[in-house]
Amino acid sequence: MSSILNWLKANPVLVAGVLAVMVPTMLLVANESWSTEQGAHGPIVLATGLWLLLREWSKARPLFEAPPAWQVAAFFVPLLLLYFISRVSHIVETEGFLMYGLVVATMFSFIGGRAITAMWFPLIYLLFVLPPPESLVAMVTNPLKIALSESAVKLLYYLGYPIASAGVTIQVGQYQLLVAEACAGLNSLISLSAIALFYVYLRHHANARYALLMFLAILPVAIFANFVRILLLVLLTYHSGEAAAQGFLHDFAGMTMFMTALITIFAIDHVVGLIWPGLKSKKAQPPAAAA
């Protein structure tokens, strides 16, 4: 920590330039994303991500080596031009990622590629602070919303409930539910991914192969958690009325979805440990010395 403070004091002009890029963009991200349900995880990810970065910084110090100036320029100049365009256009999604790219490029100019690679996990994890493009989120979640609702309707129909669906509407008894409302939890897919990766890092020391396996499990876990959410909403609507379901939707639906997802992640972690115990702890073997 003291070495970072000394570096900041020794480079006041550079620090001022980085802050001139970071502060307005992060304020925009906070106003546009962190104030919504989909981006509410941003401040938590920022705080934990900076903690992870500081934790890895001291471990990576032996690898610090300034790269050639042409390599820095090859990264920095295009990113700066694109950032300026995004800033003028007020496109928060691209502006945030380009700002982050400029910060990483600045780090790269002082510590080099080997150190950046050694700190890969916190640098990737901090990307979850920024909102993804809304068009991409909609493209991924909209088909899932329809498929999940139809699956829930079929299951409850086979269990004897008077239920049917038409387009974006679920009819159960004398009540109607909107698919978009019932499946809103899919918008928290980014939050679930961040939480799961943070859990994997703390528990398994950023084992890259195991982290990838758990990351691939995020989508089915999120789908399952939202399937449970839909079932609960439909059952509450049918048995307790629309007012009870709306109260659950606003007060407990998000908590229920996250608890379901986290318990499922813990269960997957435990089962994988039982079936494949060497996967969590197995390290990459160093290359054999030439004879």
Side-chain angles (χ1 to χ4, degrees):
M1 186 67 179
S2 59
S3 61
I4 297 177
L5 292 176
N6 291 334
W7 179 86
L8 293 176
K9 293 177 182 178
N11 298 276
V13 176
L14 179 61
V15 171
V18 171
L19 290 177
V21 172
M22 286 185 61
V23 171
T25 299
M26 293 307 298
L27 288 175
L28 180 62
V29 169
N31 290 328
E32 298 287 337
S33 176
W34 293 359
S35 58
T36 66
E37 180 182 355
Q38 295 89 343
H41 63 281
I44 298 175
V45 172
L46 179 60
T48 53
L50 291 176
W51 174 76
L52 290 176
L53 189 62
L54 288 174
R55 177 175 168 168
E56 294 299 320
W57 185 273
S58 59
K59 298 179 182 178
R61 281 195 63 83
L63 303 176
F64 285 8
E65 183 180 359
W70 68 267
Q71 291 185 6
V72 177
F75 286 107
F76 196 87
V77 173
L79 286 172
L80 185 61
L81 292 175
L82 291 172
Y83 172 81
F84 177 76
I85 295 172
S86 293
R87 180 68 183 165
V88 171
S89 304
H90 197 73
I91 306 174
V92 63
E93 294 93 349
T94 56
E95 180 183 337
F97 287 107
L98 290 168
M99 177 274 296
Y100 186 73
L102 286 171
V103 173
V104 174
T106 303
M107 290 177 56
F108 169 74
S109 68
F110 283 90
I111 66 177
R114 292 177 63 200
I116 292 290
T117 303
M119 297 185 288
W120 68 271
F121 188 87
L123 291 176
I124 291 177
Y125 176 72
L126 280 167
L127 286 172
F128 288 96
V129 171
L130 306 170
E134 292 183 4
S135 57
L136 178 61
V137 174
M139 182 178 66
V140 172
T141 60
N142 285 342
L144 286 175
K145 290 178 181 180
I146 302 297
L148 281 176
S149 295
E150 291 178 349
S151 299
V153 167
K154 289 179 181 178
L155 175 61
L156 293 175
Y157 178 79
Y158 289 139
L159 293 176
Y161 285 88
I163 188 171
S165 62
V168 296
T169 303
I170 299 175
Q171 181 78 35
V172 54
Q174 71 270 35
Y175 303 106
Q176 285 187 347
L177 288 172
L178 291 177
V179 171
E181 189 177 59
C183 300
L186 276 175
N187 294 329
S188 297
L189 181 61
I190 304 299
S191 305
L192 291 174
S193 301
I195 291 171
L197 285 179
F198 187 70
Y199 165 78
V200 171
Y201 177 84
L202 291 183
R203 186 166 170 79
H204 305 293
H205 309 291
N207 183 322
R209 185 170 59 175
Y210 191 71
L212 177 61
L213 174 64
M214 292 299 293
F215 182 76
L216 293 176
I218 297 300
L219 182 58
V221 166
I223 291 174
F224 173 72
N226 279 272
F227 184 73
V228 172
R229 171 191 173 117
I230 295 169
L231 289 177
L232 288 175
L233 281 172
V234 174
L235 291 173
L236 275 173
T237 301
Y238 180 73
H239 290 289
S240 302
E242 188 174 0
Q246 288 298 318
F248 171 79
L249 181 66
H250 291 295
D251 298 331
F252 302 109
M255 184 185 303
T256 301
M257 185 201 67
F258 270 98
M259 289 301 298
T260 303
L262 288 176
I263 291 172
T264 306
I265 290 170
F266 297 156
I268 291 174
D269 184 28
H270 181 67
V271 170
V272 170
L274 293 176
I275 298 175
W276 199 351
L279 181 63
K280 294 183 180 181
S281 57
K282 190 175 182 180
K283 306 289 184 181
Q285 297 297 325

